[in-house]
């Protein structure tokens, strides 16, 4: 017999009423409201009331998939990421897959294209067995990645009533968790395209518009909410995680009508067990003119008894890994992987060649190619009468080149002001495409070349010439694909030591080998000898006694520890000579050849830096980026307000409530997510400000934090 609905949360009861009426629904809940608990309770109830139907539940990450699977273990529940679900839906329709993918490639408005933006024939994939889905994109081989799966699925659902019917038949209930992080195309599939089939189904969304902090997410589905066949919203206003001071601050930050209050459940984590009332908590605002992060942390330790060594309960949140690297002790490694000027310059060359279909001799050196490219750029600029490397100047110049279209050029120029740093945004690209179609002026494509032309013309900064000298005589063909980024260094960061590593880490071969070395040393130091012996490659010699073997191992580990401040190259040599690990395999040898430039830089860094990086990646430090902690919670949270030269965020805009609107909204959301991680105390540290010059910032700080403003310069 079905469980009585009266025993369920009131929000779940309301959702079930909407389901009974055949309405799609949205559960909106602020941070810490227990949305996942509601989702789990709803799934269990639906399965109990409908024992022969299947429920599909999609979410944004693999970790979220695992959490839901652990809380509802039932054969009728299919839990996946959104990408995997959509691929499962469309992957068996290979003929349609190929047809629709070709149409997308040939559609000038599509984000899918071949390397040279060339159109392809209808027989493009005839010799290919099937389209595949992987972590990388290779259109010519029929391999698509995450973004392409979404776009392709949206097109197929839009064009196929049969596909919509099949999915609705298989899954009468479709739930999407963390909906705000999904792309608009996903929402279109489930709220518009599925309607093409007359089969019945219920689509439900769970999430919080204020926690939309990832690029490309829809943010909210307000346009889909309403009466008739639209989505019904159910708000969950209780907060089970944060103390009162924290959720009061969170309410100030919200931009919708959802106002959180404490839970009615006396056993909720944010309730005081003795008084039965919600915890008060603390919110503290530190400020200073100069950066004094250590002073702030020492004050939190002394006056508020925070323990930064307990990284499971206490976290310091920074906007970027770069801001953390210096504090955590791996500044040179992050500098190499994230800001390498040669890699960025080669990217500019590749982009220019691709944009202009520039042809070159395969044996040409990097140095000679740059000379040829600069000459080509000069000729193009001269032929178009362009006197300045700015997009707006070029558009303005079109008036004299095409006098009959002068008024249209003037209109376009007005609409595109201002183009920042020659960077063309997506909405501006739409205007440019429309202008091109309307006027037939192909020269407008030149606008996309200008930024990269400027970068090539500028050349390598003189302070990096020594790096350029290492590759300038190499054949361009050999180094053109030289590419590495932060993910090759810091992918798969754990929040604490209990987290599990994910599959398919993007760390490169060198970092994986260094990781294995330090992991082996740690296992030995922690007396985990069985695990240690399983991971190392060193074996007992014939006739060698166990004591002798153990002493030999001890000497190897001790020697490595003594060399921790030496260069990474020395550690690799020592490991290789000792035979502790077989590191000189084909993959590593290939890496040293193909990524020689990168290897030569990393091998000069102290191994101690890598040890610090290892501790950071393994969750052994109190540091985390602000994007990484969504969904997590900690007793004490310190949020450091520093944009880190990232133009997408600006904390000054947040406190002064002005500036670029999209940057302001983005900053407000990341700040909201950070603040709502705190279960006990929350501290904010904003440096580079003073009360005289930043009156608006302090006015807002006093409104949000009351009298809890502390000048770190006076501590």
């Amino acid at each position: 017999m079905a469980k009585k609905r009266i025993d369920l949360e009131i929000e779940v009861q309301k959702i079930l009423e909407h389901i009974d009426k055949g309405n799609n629904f949205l559960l909106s809940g602020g941070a810490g409201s227990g949305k996942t608990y509601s989702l789990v309770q709803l799934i269990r109830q639906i399965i109990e009331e409908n024992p022969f139907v299947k429920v599909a539940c999609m979410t944004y990450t693999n970790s979220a998939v695992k959490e839901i699977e652990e809380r509802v273990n039932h054969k009728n529940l299919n839990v996946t990421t959104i990408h995997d679900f959509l691929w499962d839906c469309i992957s068996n329709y290979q003929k349609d897959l190929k047809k629709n993918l070709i149409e997308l490639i040939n559609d000038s408005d599509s984000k899918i294209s071949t390397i040279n933006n060339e159109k392809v024939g209808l027989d493009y994939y005839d010799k290919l067995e099937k389209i595949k889905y992987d972590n990388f994109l290779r259109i010519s081989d029929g391999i698509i990645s995450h973004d392409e799966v979404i776009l392709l699925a949206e097109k197929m659902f839009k064009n196929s009533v049969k596909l919509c019917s099949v999915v609705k038949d298989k899954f009468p209930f479709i739930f999407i968790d963390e909906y705000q992080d999904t792309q608009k195309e996903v929402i279109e599939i489930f709220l518009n395209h599925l309607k093409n089939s007359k089969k019945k189904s219920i689509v439900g969304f769970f999430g919080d518009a204020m926690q939309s902090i990832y690029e490309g997410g829809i943010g909210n589905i307000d346009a889909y909410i309403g009466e008739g066949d639209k989505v019904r919203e159910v708000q969950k206003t209780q907060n089970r995680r944060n103390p009162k001071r924290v959720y009061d601050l969170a309410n100030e930050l919200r931009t919708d009508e959802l106002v959180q209050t404490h839970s009615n459940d006396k056993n909720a984590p944010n309730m005081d067990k003795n008084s039965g009332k919600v915890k008060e908590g603390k919110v503290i605002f530190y400020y200073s003119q100069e950066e004094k992060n250590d002073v702030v942390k020492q004050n939190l330790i002394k006056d508020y008894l925070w323990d930064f060594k307990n990284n499971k309960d206490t976290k310091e949140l920074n906007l970027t890994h770069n801001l953390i690297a210096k504090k955590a002790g791996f500044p040179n490694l992050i500098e190499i992987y994230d800001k390498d000027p040669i890699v960025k310059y080669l990217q500019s060359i590749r982009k220019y060649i691709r944009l202009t279909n520039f042809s070159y001799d395969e044996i040409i050196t990097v140095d000679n190619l740059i000379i040829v490219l600069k000459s080509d750029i000069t000729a193009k600029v001269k032929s178009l009468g362009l006197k300045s490397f700015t997009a707006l100047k070029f558009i303005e110049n079109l008036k004299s080149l095409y006098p009959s279209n002068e008024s249209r050029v003037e209109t376009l120029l007005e609409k595109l002001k201002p183009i920042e740093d020659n960077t063309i945004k997506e909405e501006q690209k739409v205007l440019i495409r429309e202008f091109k179609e309307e006027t037939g002026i192909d020269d407008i494509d030149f606008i996309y070349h200008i930024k990269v032309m400027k970068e090539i013309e500028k050349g390598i900064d003189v302070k990096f010439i020594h790096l350029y000298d290492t590759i300038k005589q190499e054949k361009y063909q050999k180094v053109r694909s030289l590419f590495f980024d932060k993910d090759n260094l810091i992918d798969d960061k754990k929040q604490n030591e209990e987290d599990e590593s994910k599959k398919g880490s993007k760390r490169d071969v060198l970092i994986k080998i260094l990781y294995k070395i330090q992991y082996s040393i740690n296992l030995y130091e922690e007396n985990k000898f069985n695990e240690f012996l399983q991971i190392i490659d060193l074996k007992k010699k014939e006739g060698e006694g166990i004591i002798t073997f153990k002493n030999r191992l001890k000497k190897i580990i001790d020697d490595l520890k003594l060399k921790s401040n030496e260069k990474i190259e020395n550690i690799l040599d020592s490991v290789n000579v000792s035979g502790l690990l077989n590191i000189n395999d084909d993959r590593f040898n290939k890496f040293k050849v193909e990524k020689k430039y990168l290897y030569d830089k990393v091998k000069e860094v102290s191994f101690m830096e890598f040890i610090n990086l290892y501790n950071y990646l393994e969750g052994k430090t109190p540091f985390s980026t602000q994007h990484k902690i969504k969904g997590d919670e900690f007793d004490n949270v310190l949020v450091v307000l520093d944009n880190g030269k990232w133009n997408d965020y600006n904390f000054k805009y947040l406190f002064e409530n002005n500036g670029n609107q999209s940057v302001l909204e983005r900053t407000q959301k990341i700040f909201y997510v950070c603040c709502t991680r705190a279960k006990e105390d929350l501290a904010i540290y904003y440096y580079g400000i003073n009360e005289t010059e930043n009156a608006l910032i302090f006015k807002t700080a006093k409104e949000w934090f009351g009298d809890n403003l502390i000048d770190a310069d006076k501590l």
Side-chain angles (χ1 to χ4, degrees):
M1 187 175 179
K3 179 181 177 182
K4 291 182 179 179
R5 290 183 174 181
I6 198 171
D7 295 331
L8 303 174
E9 284 185 327
I10 186 66
E11 294 86 3
V12 175
Q13 292 182 44
K14 289 179 180 178
I15 289 170
L16 287 166
E17 289 174 9
H18 288 310
I19 289 175
D20 290 342
K21 296 174 183 176
N23 296 324
N24 295 329
F25 67 89
L26 160 66
L27 178 71
S28 291
S33 61
K35 294 182 292 295
T36 303
Y37 179 80
S38 300
L39 170 61
V40 166
Q41 197 175 69
L42 178 65
I43 291 171
R44 286 174 176 163
Q45 185 68 19
I46 285 173
I47 290 175
E48 185 173 335
E49 293 183 11
N50 306 272
F52 301 109
V53 304
K54 284 199 169 186
V55 177
C57 180
M58 287 162 271
T59 190
Y60 194 67
T61 64
N62 286 314
S63 58
V65 168
K66 182 181 177 183
E67 180 185 356
I68 294 170
E69 283 180 331
E70 288 175 348
R71 292 167 73 169
V72 186
N73 184 10
H74 198 282
K75 63 180 181 180
N76 286 2
L77 175 64
N78 181 57
V79 190
T80 61
T81 64
I82 291 166
H83 295 87
D84 286 345
F85 179 84
L86 292 176
W87 179 246
D88 286 342
C89 290
I90 66 176
S91 58
N92 291 327
Y93 302 95
Q94 283 292 325
K95 185 177 179 180
D96 288 336
L97 265 174
K98 293 177 181 179
K99 175 178 175 293
N100 282 277
L101 183 54
I102 289 170
E103 288 178 2
L104 285 170
I105 292 170
N106 291 333
D107 184 350
S108 58
D109 291 330
S110 168
K111 295 176 184 177
I112 300 178
S113 64
T114 57
I115 291 177
N116 295 317
N117 295 315
E118 295 173 343
K119 307 302 181 190
V120 300
L122 299 178
D123 60 349
Y124 189 58
Y125 290 125
D126 282 1
K127 294 181 181 179
L128 195 69
E129 182 183 353
K130 60 182 180 179
I131 304 297
K132 296 178 181 178
Y133 168 44
D134 213 318
N135 289 321
F136 60 93
L137 175 67
R138 195 177 292 149
I139 288 293
S140 59
D141 294 333
I143 300 173
I144 59 175
S145 187
H146 310 307
D147 291 342
E148 292 73 35
V149 164
I150 299 290
L151 298 173
L152 191 52
E154 196 266 337
K155 183 174 176 62
M156 290 180 67
F157 273 98
K158 182 179 181 179
N159 295 334
S160 175
V161 175
K162 177 185 175 183
L163 179 59
C164 296
S165 295
V166 168
V167 172
K168 288 171 109 175
D169 268 340
K170 188 174 182 180
F171 298 108
F173 296 94
I174 299 173
F175 300 147
I176 300 174
D177 193 21
E178 302 288 358
Y179 80 89
Q180 71 277 355
D181 296 324
T182 63
Q183 292 169 248
K184 188 177 190 296
E185 290 84 358
V186 174
I187 307 301
E188 283 291 298
I189 288 170
F190 293 109
L191 288 184
N192 280 341
H193 303 336
L194 283 187
K195 291 179 183 176
N196 294 333
S197 166
K198 294 182 180 179
K199 302 277 186 179
K200 291 184 178 180
S201 71
I202 297 293
V203 181
F205 300 90
F206 296 76
D208 179 11
M210 275 302 294
Q211 295 188 66
S212 173
I213 61 173
Y214 300 125
E215 186 96 24
I218 192 168
N220 65 68
I221 55 171
D222 293 349
Y224 300 87
I225 296 172
E227 297 299 317
D229 62 352
K230 290 198 169 186
V231 174
R232 304 302 196 275
E233 182 179 16
V234 174
Q235 286 192 347
K236 189 171 189 181
T237 58
Q238 63 182 281
N239 186 305
R240 299 174 55 84
R241 174 195 298 154
N242 307 125
K244 187 176 188 304
R245 290 280 181 92
V246 175
Y247 70 66
D248 280 348
L249 172 60
N251 284 335
E252 292 284 345
L253 295 169
R254 292 197 71 92
T255 55
D256 55 14
E257 297 178 357
L258 194 152
V259 179
Q260 284 193 303
T261 184
H262 65 80
S263 169
N264 293 325
D265 180 4
K266 292 185 178 181
N267 294 315
N270 61 352
M271 302 297 283
D272 185 281
K273 301 299 183 287
N274 296 320
S275 67
K277 296 180 179 179
V278 66
K279 295 177 183 176
E280 191 67 18
K282 297 184 186 73
V283 290
I284 313 154
F285 182 83
Y286 289 92
Y287 63 94
S288 65
Q289 294 192 64
E290 301 297 324
E291 192 273 324
K292 293 190 175 179
N293 202 69
D294 289 341
V295 173
V296 169
K297 289 168 75 171
Q298 285 302 316
N299 185 255
L300 287 167
I301 293 167
K302 175 176 169 287
D303 289 0
Y304 300 98
L305 304 180
W306 284 29
D307 181 6
F308 284 95
K309 292 180 180 178
N310 181 354
N311 55 75
K312 188 174 181 181
D313 293 334
T314 302
K315 282 291 178 186
E316 176 187 332
L317 308 181
N318 292 262
L319 189 58
T320 69
H321 293 288
N322 302 70
L323 292 169
I324 291 170
K326 185 177 179 181
K327 301 174 185 179
F330 54 95
N332 292 305
L333 286 172
I334 201 78
E335 184 80 18
I336 290 170
Y337 275 85
D338 187 46
K339 298 179 179 178
D340 187 86
I342 306 303
V343 169
K344 291 184 183 301
Y345 197 68
L346 288 171
Q347 283 179 295
S348 297
I349 292 173
R350 285 202 306 273
K351 190 171 184 181
Y352 183 77
I353 289 171
R354 179 173 61 81
L355 284 170
T356 62
N357 291 317
F358 185 83
S359 60
Y360 58 90
D361 194 318
E362 290 193 1
I363 64 171
I364 196 169
T365 64
V366 173
D367 211 31
N368 286 335
L369 177 61
I370 291 171
I371 293 170
V372 173
L373 288 180
K374 286 185 176 181
S375 175
D376 187 64
I377 289 169
T378 301
K380 280 187 169 64
V381 171
K382 187 176 180 181
S383 69
L384 291 166
L386 187 63
K387 296 178 181 178
S388 173
F389 276 108
T390 69
L392 290 177
K393 286 287 184 184
F394 170 69
I395 299 173
E396 195 172 56
N397 192 56
L398 289 176
K399 287 189 290 185
S400 59
L401 291 175
Y402 298 94
S404 61
N405 287 290
E406 183 174 344
S407 62
R408 295 179 189 179
V409 174
E410 190 68 50
T411 302
L412 179 67
L413 190 63
E414 191 62 37
K415 286 181 178 178
L416 292 183
K417 285 184 179 178
I419 295 177
E420 298 174 7
D421 190 31
N422 288 324
T423 302
I424 317 298
K425 296 180 179 178
E426 199 58 46
E427 59 268 25
Q428 293 168 332
K429 289 180 181 178
V430 173
L431 291 171
I432 293 166
R433 277 200 300 268
E434 290 174 352
F435 173 82
K436 181 180 175 181
E437 290 171 2
E438 182 186 356
T439 63
I441 299 176
D442 289 332
D443 286 338
I444 193 70
D445 288 339
F446 190 75
I447 198 172
Y448 298 113
H449 309 167
I450 290 175
K451 184 180 181 182
V452 71
M453 285 169 61
K454 189 173 182 179
E455 290 167 352
I456 293 171
E457 187 69 22
K458 185 179 179 182
I460 301 291
D461 192 304
V462 65
K463 63 185 177 184
F464 300 122
I465 289 297
H466 65 290
L467 296 176
Y468 175 64
D469 287 343
T470 65
I471 66 155
K472 68 180 184 180
Q473 295 306 324
E474 297 277 5
K475 292 179 182 177
Y476 174 69
Q477 279 292 97
K478 181 179 177 181
V479 299
R480 68 187 178 98
S481 297
L482 180 64
F483 177 77
F484 46 88
D485 63 15
K486 275 191 297 191
D487 279 349
N488 300 134
L489 180 74
I490 56 173
D491 189 39
D492 196 14
K493 157 85 172 76
K494 298 178 181 178
Q495 288 295 12
N496 59 67
E497 297 178 64
E498 296 174 7
D499 281 359
E500 293 184 9
S501 297
K502 72 178 185 182
K503 295 180 180 178
S505 171
K506 295 177 183 176
R507 295 178 198 165
D508 66 31
V509 173
L510 175 56
I511 298 303
K512 286 180 179 178
I513 286 173
L514 295 174
Y515 179 94
K516 192 173 182 180
I517 292 171
Q518 186 56 32
Y519 181 52
S520 302
I521 294 171
N522 277 18
L523 288 176
Y524 186 88
E525 288 183 315
E526 294 168 4
N527 297 322
K528 297 178 179 178
F529 297 119
N530 287 335
E531 293 176 58
F532 172 73
L533 291 171
Q534 287 175 6
I535 196 173
I536 66 171
D537 298 308
L538 189 68
K539 306 299 178 187
K540 276 201 314 173
K541 296 176 182 178
E542 187 174 346
E544 184 179 29
I546 187 66
I547 300 299
T548 305
F549 178 60
K550 285 185 176 180
N551 288 336
R552 188 154 61 97
L553 282 174
K554 183 178 185 304
K555 186 177 185 312
I556 291 171
I557 298 298
D558 287 345
D559 286 347
L560 287 173
K561 288 164 63 179
L562 285 171
K563 293 179 178 180
S564 59
N565 285 309
E566 294 186 17
K567 295 189 296 185
I568 282 172
E569 181 180 30
N570 295 353
I571 299 296
L572 291 169
D573 289 342
S574 295
V575 170
N576 189 45
V577 170
S578 71
L580 182 70
L581 297 167
N582 293 329
I583 61 174
N584 273 338
D585 61 8
D586 289 346
R587 287 177 305 165
F588 187 37
N589 290 327
K590 184 179 179 182
F591 177 90
K592 286 191 287 187
V593 173
E594 294 183 350
K595 297 288 178 75
K596 181 179 183 299
Y597 175 78
L598 172 61
Y599 177 72
D600 285 347
K601 294 181 73 176
V602 174
K603 73 179 184 181
E604 297 298 316
V605 177
S606 165
F607 188 66
M608 181 54 73
E609 270 213 24
F610 181 79
I611 294 174
N612 294 335
L613 172 67
Y614 175 90
N615 290 333
Y616 172 64
L617 294 176
E618 285 297 288
K620 296 174 183 286
T621 75
F623 303 108
S624 182
T625 59
Q626 294 168 6
H627 285 81
K628 270 283 185 182
I629 45 74
K630 199 176 80 161
D632 291 323
E633 53 187 35
F634 314 97
D635 286 350
N636 305 309
V637 174
L638 168 62
V639 184
V640 181
L641 303 187
D642 185 330
N643 305 328
K645 298 180 181 179
W646 196 352
N647 294 329
D648 288 343
Y649 299 87
N650 192 309
F651 293 109
K652 188 171 184 286
Y653 289 176
L654 173 66
F655 278 78
E656 294 185 346
N657 193 29
N658 61 26
N660 180 284
Q661 191 60 32
S662 63
V663 173
L664 173 59
E665 289 177 5
R666 203 177 293 118
T667 308
Q668 193 159 347
K669 287 179 178 179
I670 194 72
F671 188 60
Y672 173 88
V673 168
C674 289
C675 292
T676 53
R677 301 309 99 197
K679 296 193 293 181
E680 300 289 343
D681 295 346
L682 169 68
I684 309 299
Y685 176 39
Y686 197 159
Y687 63 87
I689 58 172
N690 63 66
E691 293 187 70
T692 304
E693 297 178 10
N694 306 105
L696 279 177
I697 291 177
F698 281 87
K699 181 177 181 292
T700 302
K702 286 172 184 174
E703 291 172 359
W704 289 350
F705 300 93
D707 296 328
N708 297 324
L709 274 60
I710 300 175
D711 186 348
D713 287 327
K714 296 179 180 179
L715 291 175

